[in-house]
Amino acid sequence: MIASTSHQDWLFYFPLAQQAELLKDDLLDPVDQLLEDPALVDLVRQCLAARSPLSQRTGRTGIAPDRLLRCCVMKHLKGWSFRDLERELRSNLVYRRFTHFDAEATPDSTTFSRTFALLSTAVTEEIHQRVVRLACEQGVAQGQKLRTDTTVVESNVHYPTDSSLLGDGIRVLSRSLERIAGECKQGAVEVVHHARAVKHRLLEISRAAKCLTQANQQRMRDSYQKLLALTRGVVRQVGDVIERWAKKRLKVVGKRLRVEVQIGQLRHFLPLVEQVITQTKKRVLGGDNNVDGKVLSLFEVHTEVIRKGKAHKPNEFGRLVRIDEVENGIVSGYQVLTGNPADTTAWVPALEQHQACFGQAPEMATGDRGFFSANNEREAHALGVKKVALPARGRLSAKRAEQQKQRWFRRALRWRAGCEATISTLKHPFSMRRATYKGDRGFQRYVGWCVITKNLFSVARHQQRRRDHAETN
């Protein structure tokens, strides 16, 4: 059941509440009024009501929509985990007042995790669009200028190596087999624990990989052969258990539902582990580094290898994200891209998204050299953009050099550089450097909430600067 947004103060908490109101937080206080917007709360309420037909009236009382919205904003502002959020809400009066919990009991971390997951990708996008409309209503964003750029947001994975992926595969498959064996008749499923052998193989591979001599390379291949043999043995056993379960030949004496859950886990991970075996054989034994459909993580399958040409980090593991920004630091649009496309393919979608958001094309649009192409400039002018500032690559003609030396073009490029600061702000204060929500949808939700939180604070700070300027005058 959805809890009410009208919260009654406790009588014995009233004296403490008066003292708590004296405590100020320079980051949270300006955003407090923006989060009172009824449309934002209604979007969260509608999402919670969609769980089941009677969610609004029946069931245990859940987190109120206004409290859930404020907890999401505060979690992404501070970069906390769900356990950190639970601990800080318990112990801090300022955070309790901001999230409207006051003297009431706060939920635990698992409740936060499950309830946050109900806010789907579509609802997150709607909340973002509502925040952008609030910025337009407050006069913070007019949509006259647009700058866009792409950046990499890391997935929550360890550095992928073939040996570590094989070790992960043995671990998760053996864990599910052990849980199935606990629900079956004794001896029906024999599980061999390979953890110690896997650890020794991983250590051998890591030591041999440090030296490129022929002897060490042969030693590394031998260790990989042993690790592959262990993995293939577990995979064969998993296939046998799944087949026996399908033919109803698995003697279950415990709860069949638990066995069904673990069989589902095996069916999910088995093709991934088989793909890891294939790519390991091609790379280590066959010398082929370009394998189609390469698996980088068993748990975040959507992870891609992104190469942005950085000397200190040539390979990044995550997803490419497009960021569209208008006046006063408002991020008007974002998109999680598939694969590692060239920036030139993201220019026209950014303009179309801006036109859909503001109802008109920007007066001026700019990006870095990666977005330049003659076709992109023509498309921008066709959409109604009067000033397109895309610096050309390579040797410039006399006409092009003269155009790029014009005052409006140079001012547009100086303004474009601010997009780098916005991306840095999103990644560090607003914790968008690494997405910690699970799966592809969780990744998109995480990026969306980082952008929403950043926009709220940009609007609040602009309003505060406007008030300070009015008081000074």
mmCIF file of all heavy atoms in Angstrom, residues 137-157:
data_model
loop_
_atom_site.group_PDB
_atom_site.id
_atom_site.type_symbol
_atom_site.label_atom_id
_atom_site.label_comp_id
_atom_site.label_asym_id
_atom_site.label_seq_id
_atom_site.Cartn_x
_atom_site.Cartn_y
_atom_site.Cartn_z
ATOM 1 N N GLU A 137 10.354 27.003 -16.652
ATOM 2 C CA GLU A 137 9.387 27.868 -15.971
ATOM 3 C C GLU A 137 10.069 28.876 -15.053
ATOM 4 O O GLU A 137 9.583 30.006 -14.900
ATOM 5 C CB GLU A 137 8.404 27.013 -15.170
ATOM 6 C CG GLU A 137 7.509 26.138 -16.034
ATOM 7 C CD GLU A 137 6.728 25.134 -15.217
ATOM 8 O OE1 GLU A 137 6.844 25.182 -13.961
ATOM 9 O OE2 GLU A 137 6.015 24.296 -15.805
ATOM 10 N N GLN A 138 11.183 28.473 -14.463
ATOM 11 C CA GLN A 138 11.910 29.376 -13.567
ATOM 12 C C GLN A 138 12.819 30.328 -14.334
ATOM 13 O O GLN A 138 13.477 31.169 -13.725
ATOM 14 C CB GLN A 138 12.753 28.555 -12.586
ATOM 15 C CG GLN A 138 11.963 27.626 -11.684
ATOM 16 C CD GLN A 138 11.157 28.381 -10.637
ATOM 17 O OE1 GLN A 138 11.458 29.529 -10.333
ATOM 18 N NE2 GLN A 138 10.132 27.732 -10.091
ATOM 19 N N GLY A 139 12.887 30.207 -15.656
ATOM 20 C CA GLY A 139 13.736 31.080 -16.447
ATOM 21 C C GLY A 139 15.207 30.706 -16.410
ATOM 22 O O GLY A 139 16.064 31.510 -16.800
ATOM 23 N N VAL A 140 15.510 29.477 -15.981
ATOM 24 C CA VAL A 140 16.897 29.033 -15.898
ATOM 25 C C VAL A 140 17.381 28.545 -17.256
ATOM 26 O O VAL A 140 18.533 28.774 -17.641
ATOM 27 C CB VAL A 140 17.051 27.928 -14.830
ATOM 28 C CG1 VAL A 140 18.507 27.510 -14.684
ATOM 29 C CG2 VAL A 140 16.501 28.407 -13.489
ATOM 30 N N ALA A 141 16.526 27.856 -17.997
ATOM 31 C CA ALA A 141 16.887 27.325 -19.315
ATOM 32 C C ALA A 141 15.914 27.860 -20.352
ATOM 33 O O ALA A 141 14.693 27.774 -20.169
ATOM 34 C CB ALA A 141 16.859 25.803 -19.299
ATOM 35 N N GLN A 142 16.452 28.430 -21.431
ATOM 36 C CA GLN A 142 15.615 28.939 -22.517
ATOM 37 C C GLN A 142 15.720 28.093 -23.780
ATOM 38 O O GLN A 142 14.889 28.214 -24.675
ATOM 39 C CB GLN A 142 16.014 30.388 -22.863
ATOM 40 C CG GLN A 142 15.798 31.383 -21.740
ATOM 41 C CD GLN A 142 16.927 31.385 -20.734
ATOM 42 O OE1 GLN A 142 18.067 31.112 -21.100
ATOM 43 N NE2 GLN A 142 16.618 31.700 -19.485
ATOM 44 N N GLY A 143 16.738 27.271 -23.885
ATOM 45 C CA GLY A 143 16.891 26.427 -25.055
ATOM 46 C C GLY A 143 17.415 27.151 -26.276
ATOM 47 O O GLY A 143 17.252 26.669 -27.399
ATOM 48 N N GLN A 144 18.071 28.304 -26.086
ATOM 49 C CA GLN A 144 18.622 29.046 -27.207
ATOM 50 C C GLN A 144 19.993 28.526 -27.635
ATOM 51 O O GLN A 144 20.405 28.721 -28.767
ATOM 52 C CB GLN A 144 18.730 30.530 -26.848
ATOM 53 C CG GLN A 144 17.400 31.192 -26.554
ATOM 54 C CD GLN A 144 16.465 31.156 -27.750
ATOM 55 O OE1 GLN A 144 16.873 31.457 -28.879
ATOM 56 N NE2 GLN A 144 15.218 30.773 -27.516
ATOM 57 N N LYS A 145 20.712 27.877 -26.714
ATOM 58 C CA LYS A 145 22.045 27.363 -27.004
ATOM 59 C C LYS A 145 22.110 25.891 -26.608
ATOM 60 O O LYS A 145 21.459 25.457 -25.664
ATOM 61 C CB LYS A 145 23.109 28.158 -26.239
ATOM 62 C CG LYS A 145 23.194 29.622 -26.635
ATOM 63 C CD LYS A 145 24.430 30.288 -26.040
ATOM 64 C CE LYS A 145 24.363 30.393 -24.527
ATOM 65 N NZ LYS A 145 25.522 31.132 -23.985
ATOM 66 N N LEU A 146 22.900 25.136 -27.336
ATOM 67 C CA LEU A 146 23.056 23.699 -27.064
ATOM 68 C C LEU A 146 24.511 23.308 -27.275
ATOM 69 O O LEU A 146 25.133 23.687 -28.272
ATOM 70 C CB LEU A 146 22.161 22.885 -28.005
ATOM 71 C CG LEU A 146 22.382 21.360 -27.998
ATOM 72 C CD1 LEU A 146 21.949 20.764 -26.672
ATOM 73 C CD2 LEU A 146 21.646 20.698 -29.158
ATOM 74 N N ARG A 147 25.043 22.575 -26.321
ATOM 75 C CA ARG A 147 26.356 21.959 -26.481
ATOM 76 C C ARG A 147 26.230 20.491 -26.083
ATOM 77 O O ARG A 147 25.537 20.151 -25.121
ATOM 78 C CB ARG A 147 27.414 22.661 -25.624
ATOM 79 C CG ARG A 147 27.109 22.744 -24.137
ATOM 80 C CD ARG A 147 28.095 23.660 -23.443
ATOM 81 N NE ARG A 147 27.826 23.783 -21.996
ATOM 82 C CZ ARG A 147 28.381 24.699 -21.205
ATOM 83 N NH1 ARG A 147 29.239 25.566 -21.716
ATOM 84 N NH2 ARG A 147 28.100 24.745 -19.912
ATOM 85 N N THR A 148 26.880 19.637 -26.825
ATOM 86 C CA THR A 148 26.744 18.205 -26.605
ATOM 87 C C THR A 148 28.111 17.534 -26.632
ATOM 88 O O THR A 148 29.049 18.020 -27.278
ATOM 89 C CB THR A 148 25.817 17.571 -27.660
ATOM 90 O OG1 THR A 148 25.596 16.194 -27.357
ATOM 91 C CG2 THR A 148 26.418 17.675 -29.049
ATOM 92 N N ASP A 149 28.222 16.446 -25.906
ATOM 93 C CA ASP A 149 29.465 15.685 -25.846
ATOM 94 C C ASP A 149 29.136 14.277 -25.387
ATOM 95 O O ASP A 149 28.030 14.005 -24.889
ATOM 96 C CB ASP A 149 30.464 16.349 -24.885
ATOM 97 C CG ASP A 149 31.910 15.949 -25.194
ATOM 98 O OD1 ASP A 149 32.104 15.092 -26.075
ATOM 99 O OD2 ASP A 149 32.828 16.486 -24.556
ATOM 100 N N THR A 150 30.078 13.368 -25.549
ATOM 101 C CA THR A 150 29.902 11.990 -25.093
ATOM 102 C C THR A 150 30.970 11.659 -24.062
ATOM 103 O O THR A 150 32.072 12.213 -24.081
ATOM 104 C CB THR A 150 30.008 10.997 -26.267
ATOM 105 O OG1 THR A 150 31.275 11.160 -26.912
ATOM 106 C CG2 THR A 150 28.895 11.221 -27.266
ATOM 107 N N THR A 151 30.636 10.749 -23.167
ATOM 108 C CA THR A 151 31.580 10.312 -22.145
ATOM 109 C C THR A 151 31.300 8.849 -21.811
ATOM 110 O O THR A 151 30.231 8.315 -22.148
ATOM 111 C CB THR A 151 31.460 11.175 -20.877
ATOM 112 O OG1 THR A 151 32.476 10.815 -19.943
ATOM 113 C CG2 THR A 151 30.101 10.985 -20.216
ATOM 114 N N VAL A 152 32.237 8.216 -21.151
ATOM 115 C CA VAL A 152 32.103 6.810 -20.772
ATOM 116 C C VAL A 152 31.728 6.726 -19.298
ATOM 117 O O VAL A 152 32.380 7.336 -18.448
ATOM 118 C CB VAL A 152 33.409 6.034 -21.027
ATOM 119 C CG1 VAL A 152 33.260 4.574 -20.603
ATOM 120 C CG2 VAL A 152 33.796 6.112 -22.494
ATOM 121 N N VAL A 153 30.677 5.980 -19.014
ATOM 122 C CA VAL A 153 30.294 5.659 -17.637
ATOM 123 C C VAL A 153 30.611 4.189 -17.412
ATOM 124 O O VAL A 153 30.135 3.325 -18.151
ATOM 125 C CB VAL A 153 28.804 5.937 -17.387
ATOM 126 C CG1 VAL A 153 28.419 5.565 -15.961
ATOM 127 C CG2 VAL A 153 28.487 7.403 -17.656
ATOM 128 N N GLU A 154 31.429 3.916 -16.418
ATOM 129 C CA GLU A 154 31.883 2.545 -16.183
ATOM 130 C C GLU A 154 30.763 1.677 -15.609
ATOM 131 O O GLU A 154 29.929 2.141 -14.836
ATOM 132 C CB GLU A 154 33.066 2.548 -15.207
ATOM 133 C CG GLU A 154 34.307 3.256 -15.726
ATOM 134 C CD GLU A 154 35.429 3.246 -14.708
ATOM 135 O OE1 GLU A 154 35.189 2.754 -13.572
ATOM 136 O OE2 GLU A 154 36.523 3.723 -15.029
ATOM 137 N N SER A 155 30.769 0.425 -15.997
ATOM 138 C CA SER A 155 29.914 -0.573 -15.343
ATOM 139 C C SER A 155 30.582 -1.030 -14.047
ATOM 140 O O SER A 155 31.791 -0.886 -13.865
ATOM 141 C CB SER A 155 29.684 -1.768 -16.258
ATOM 142 O OG SER A 155 29.062 -1.374 -17.461
ATOM 143 N N ASN A 156 29.782 -1.601 -13.183
ATOM 144 C CA ASN A 156 30.289 -2.039 -11.886
ATOM 145 C C ASN A 156 30.889 -3.445 -12.024
ATOM 146 O O ASN A 156 30.335 -4.438 -11.536
ATOM 147 C CB ASN A 156 29.160 -2.028 -10.855
ATOM 148 C CG ASN A 156 29.688 -2.153 -9.437
ATOM 149 O OD1 ASN A 156 30.838 -1.824 -9.165
ATOM 150 N ND2 ASN A 156 28.860 -2.628 -8.536
ATOM 151 N N VAL A 157 32.049 -3.512 -12.720
ATOM 152 C CA VAL A 157 32.699 -4.800 -12.976
ATOM 153 C C VAL A 157 34.181 -4.680 -12.637
ATOM 154 O O VAL A 157 34.748 -3.582 -12.625
ATOM 155 C CB VAL A 157 32.544 -5.221 -14.457
ATOM 156 C CG1 VAL A 157 31.072 -5.381 -14.812
ATOM 157 C CG2 VAL A 157 33.202 -4.217 -15.397
#
